[in-house]
Amino acid sequence: MEDTESVSTLMDSTTSKIQQLQKAFAELESHRAVTLNLKWKEIEEHFHGLERSLKRRFHELEDQEKQYDTKTRRAREILEKQEAAVVAKEQASLEKLQEKRDAAVFSISNALQKHRKVSSVEPVVEPYDGGQFGSPAIDDQPPDAMTAESNLGEIIDPSENGNLEYPQLVELCEQMDSEGLHKFISDNRKNLAVLKEEIPLALKAAANPAQFVLNSLEDFYPKEVSNVDGKIDSTLLGVRRTCIMIMECLSILLMSTDLLSVSDVISEDVKDQAKAIAEEWKPKLDSLDVDANNGNSLEAHAFLQLLATFGIASDFDEEELSRLIPMVSRRRQAAELCRFLGLSEKMPGVIEVLVNSGRQIDAVNLAFAFDLTEQFSPVPLLKSYLKEARKVSSSVKPGNASPTTGQNEVNERELAALKAVIKCIEEHKLEEQYPADPLQKRLLQLEKAKAEKKRATEAAKPQPKRPRAGGVGCGGRVTNGAPEKTFYPRVPDRYPQYVYDRQYIYPGHADNHVQPLMSSATYNFAPSHGNYFGNGYQYQTAYHH
């Protein structure tokens, strides 16, 4: 500023300088001997022009300086606001995390107190062969089992096992009978929630729980797979669901506060065996069925669960593991698997893949689980999902039997999409941002139209003629061919669908598919976003590694 003032002062003195020059010029002209070609008016005009040009340039520089100062001040204010917002967000996240941590500690403490109170009451249990759940004889145990038993000596509390609703689980674990455990779970499939609570306690009675769980995975990929119309047999699907549940139960056991460390249960030898199994399963993930494209693949889930339970994820490439996440995105454990596999930083790229493949519902669920809703706004994604579903189903495919058939397909697609969006809105409490009432009205309208069409179709069917009273009538012609329909009731699957599978199903998009695991496609993952803890779901399975 001092330099600017000095320049301004010098410019103001220009006029006096010009007057002094004029006097000197007049004095010079009075003493001239010859006529000079210079005219004073020209000289004066020249200097005044220089003065005006200099002042104009000076004022321009002053304006630019003021603009620069204004921009600098505004930028500083914006930066300060952003810093304050980041600090506030970090503080809110820390408080939120602390609340969740306190709630988890409180729940665990209450559960332990309740469990100890129940354990203190002497139960009345009919003894069975094998005594009071005693450990097998040392002579019958392999060396690894003896080592595991020495580490678990203080963990196993016989009083806990007496309170189990299914004490047979303890006997099966003591005998390391993995095949019997599978059969027992199948026979009691109606009480899966109780089994999932009691199997971790029963696993404590096993001489080597980790080895026992590995043995239970033997039939996950049988040598001979029976296919019915290109689909895997329901019995094999049940076996695979049971394998996943048993691995989850071992993870729950590892969360026990009684454990000294994870190495007390999972030895290095068992980890090597688990890694060998994972290496054997990995190539088989390249050719998965349609469930992988719908985000409900049991094979991919089991592979990731194996890595999470036995703590061997670091032996595999993160990029390849992240490509598996879209194959299990519909399953409730997807977010927890991502965290315990160390894939939290990869989630922006995974969510982007889900959005691009027309699976915005899964994208919204994962965005809430990892606090990425600012980057992936839920409401536009849900609206886009409905719009795309209607767009795909808006035109009747050529080759349909009739326009009625095409319209039915249109309604079914829109109906499924509406149910999925409404369920997502309710789960994440988005009613204020995205009111569900118009969607509910449209849903009721489509269901009513569907019911009316069904009644009209049934009414249009020809009714069979009644036989005459004398037994002679126009009965249907008897043929030797096989009947078109069987009237035997359908035999229920031995293994039902587990409760943690999501209930909604994506309408089929012919052009949207998830790339297989080993494909050359890569994700453009965003930079590190840290390890976020989601708040969208209550997961039933816990992991600890």
Side-chain angles (χ1 to χ4, degrees):
M1 293 299 296
E2 294 179 356
D3 294 339
T4 304
E5 293 176 355
S6 61
V7 171
S8 179
T9 303
L10 291 175
M11 290 177 61
D12 293 338
S13 63
T14 304
T15 304
S16 61
K17 296 292 185 183
I18 293 176
Q19 291 176 355
Q20 293 177 7
L21 181 61
Q22 181 181 5
K23 292 180 181 180
F25 185 82
E27 184 179 357
L28 178 63
E29 192 175 31
S30 63
H31 294 85
R32 66 181 179 180
V34 293
T35 302
L36 298 177
N37 294 328
L38 297 177
K39 298 292 184 180
W40 166 244
K41 291 294 182 181
E42 295 178 359
I43 296 176
E44 185 180 22
E45 186 65 26
H46 172 70
F47 280 105
H48 280 301
L50 291 177
E51 180 184 10
R52 289 192 297 269
S53 176
L54 182 60
K55 286 184 177 181
R56 184 178 63 255
R57 182 59 181 165
F58 176 74
H59 292 313
E60 290 177 356
L61 291 175
E62 280 186 332
D63 293 339
Q64 291 179 0
E65 182 179 7
K66 291 179 181 179
Q67 293 177 1
Y68 175 77
D69 292 339
T70 303
K71 291 181 180 179
T72 303
R73 185 176 63 258
R74 290 179 180 176
R76 188 179 297 108
E77 292 175 355
I78 294 174
L79 182 60
E80 291 175 355
K81 291 181 180 179
Q82 290 179 348
E83 289 179 352
V86 170
V87 172
K89 186 174 180 181
E90 289 179 352
Q91 186 64 28
S93 299
L94 289 175
E95 293 176 357
K96 189 176 181 182
L97 177 60
Q98 187 63 39
E99 290 176 0
K100 290 184 178 180
R101 186 177 300 168
D102 294 341
V105 172
F106 181 74
S107 300
I108 293 173
S109 301
N110 288 344
L112 287 175
Q113 291 177 3
K114 182 179 178 181
H115 185 67
R116 287 167 183 167
K117 289 179 181 179
V118 175
S119 300
S120 61
V121 180
E122 189 65 23
V124 180
V125 180
E126 295 183 2
Y128 55 91
D129 294 340
Q132 182 68 22
F133 316 122
S135 300
I138 295 180
D139 295 339
D140 298 334
Q141 300 175 7
D144 293 339
M146 294 173 62
T147 304
E149 183 187 29
S150 64
N151 292 333
L152 294 172
E154 298 180 358
I155 298 174
I156 300 174
D157 185 0
S159 63
E160 293 181 356
N161 300 331
N163 297 290
L164 297 181
E165 184 175 338
Y166 296 105
Q168 300 90 332
L169 291 171
V170 180
E171 183 179 9
L172 293 170
C173 292
E174 284 181 341
Q175 298 173 358
M176 301 283 284
D177 186 0
S178 59
E179 183 178 353
L181 180 61
H182 269 272
K183 185 178 184 303
F184 187 84
I185 294 174
S186 171
D187 294 339
N188 297 275
R189 60 187 178 273
K190 293 182 179 180
N191 293 325
L192 287 177
V194 177
L195 289 174
K196 197 165 185 179
E197 292 179 358
E198 297 189 353
I199 290 176
L201 295 175
L203 284 175
K204 293 182 179 182
N208 192 334
Q211 185 66 56
F212 179 47
V213 172
L214 280 184
N215 295 341
S216 69
L217 306 179
E218 182 178 356
D219 294 330
F220 191 89
Y221 283 104
K223 296 181 180 179
E224 296 181 0
V225 180
S226 58
N227 291 343
V228 180
D229 296 333
K231 297 182 179 180
I232 300 178
D233 183 72
S234 60
T235 302
L236 177 57
L237 294 178
V239 171
R240 290 178 173 177
R241 294 188 183 106
T242 302
C243 290
I244 293 173
M245 189 180 77
I246 294 174
M247 285 191 288
E248 291 173 347
C249 291
L250 179 60
S251 296
I252 296 174
L253 174 62
L254 296 175
M255 289 288 292
S256 173
T257 56
D258 297 334
L259 290 178
L260 299 177
S261 64
V262 176
S263 60
D264 294 335
V265 179
I266 302 179
S267 63
E268 291 298 326
D269 180 58
V270 171
K271 278 192 174 183
D272 292 339
Q273 295 181 46
K275 183 179 179 181
I277 293 175
E279 292 288 356
E280 182 182 353
W281 287 3
K282 182 180 174 183
K284 299 178 181 179
L285 300 176
D286 291 338
S287 56
L288 294 178
D289 54 14
V290 69
D291 286 340
N293 291 332
N294 289 332
N296 195 27
S297 171
L298 287 174
E299 295 89 342
H301 185 180
F303 178 79
L304 296 175
Q305 186 68 56
L306 179 66
L307 303 188
T309 299
F310 290 90
I312 55 176
S314 59
D315 296 324
F316 294 84
D317 183 63
E318 284 188 356
E319 292 293 333
E320 294 182 354
L321 297 182
S322 63
R323 295 191 189 107
L324 283 175
I325 303 304
M327 301 181 189
V328 298
S329 56
R330 268 189 57 203
R331 306 185 76 80
R332 290 284 182 179
Q333 301 90 332
E336 290 297 323
L337 281 172
C338 292
R339 290 192 186 95
F340 290 98
L341 292 171
L343 300 178
S344 297
E345 295 182 359
K346 301 291 185 181
M347 296 316 298
V350 173
I351 294 174
E352 192 70 33
V353 170
L354 292 173
V355 172
N356 294 335
S357 59
R359 292 162 60 186
Q360 289 89 338
I361 302 293
D362 291 348
V364 170
N365 292 331
L366 289 179
F368 271 101
F370 288 91
D371 286 344
L372 295 174
T373 52
E374 292 186 1
Q375 184 176 352
F376 300 95
S377 184
V379 174
L381 288 178
L382 295 178
K383 291 182 178 180
S384 171
Y385 174 67
L386 270 181
K387 182 178 180 181
E388 290 181 9
R390 291 165 179 163
K391 181 179 179 181
V392 170
S393 60
S394 61
S395 59
V396 179
K397 295 181 179 179
N400 281 339
S402 64
T404 304
T405 304
Q407 186 60 40
N408 291 339
E409 181 182 353
V410 168
N411 294 341
E412 288 295 334
R413 288 178 182 273
E414 186 177 358
L415 197 63
L418 284 170
K419 289 180 179 179
V421 171
I422 293 173
K423 179 179 175 64
C424 189
I425 292 174
E426 293 174 350
E427 285 182 347
H428 300 296
K429 297 179 175 58
L430 296 172
E431 288 84 357
E432 294 184 0
Q433 305 175 39
Y434 194 2
D437 291 340
L439 304 181
Q440 292 282 7
K441 292 179 181 179
R442 177 58 178 167
L443 178 65
L444 293 177
Q445 181 183 358
L446 290 175
E447 289 180 340
K448 183 179 179 181
K450 180 180 178 181
E452 291 177 353
K453 288 181 180 179
K454 183 177 180 181
R455 286 195 296 268
T457 303
E458 292 177 352
K461 289 182 180 179
Q463 300 295 330
K465 295 182 180 180
R466 296 181 180 179
R468 295 180 181 177
V472 180
C474 301
R477 182 168 59 90
V478 179
T479 62
N480 294 329
E484 293 182 359
K485 297 183 179 179
T486 177
F487 294 93
Y488 291 101
R490 182 179 180 272
V491 180
D493 294 340
R494 180 176 177 183
Y495 296 85
Q497 186 77 5
Y498 279 32
V499 295
Y500 50 69
D501 294 346
R502 299 192 187 277
Q503 299 301 316
Y504 53 81
I505 301 176
Y506 283 102
H509 295 278
D511 56 347
N512 292 328
H513 297 285
V514 178
Q515 294 292 336
L517 171 64
M518 296 299 134
S519 67
S520 59
T522 57
Y523 297 151
N524 295 324
F525 293 110
S528 173
H529 288 262
N531 292 324
Y532 294 92
F533 290 83
N535 54 7
Y537 296 98
Q538 296 295 328
Y539 297 93
Q540 300 178 4
T541 306
Y543 308 92
H544 180 72
H545 294 295

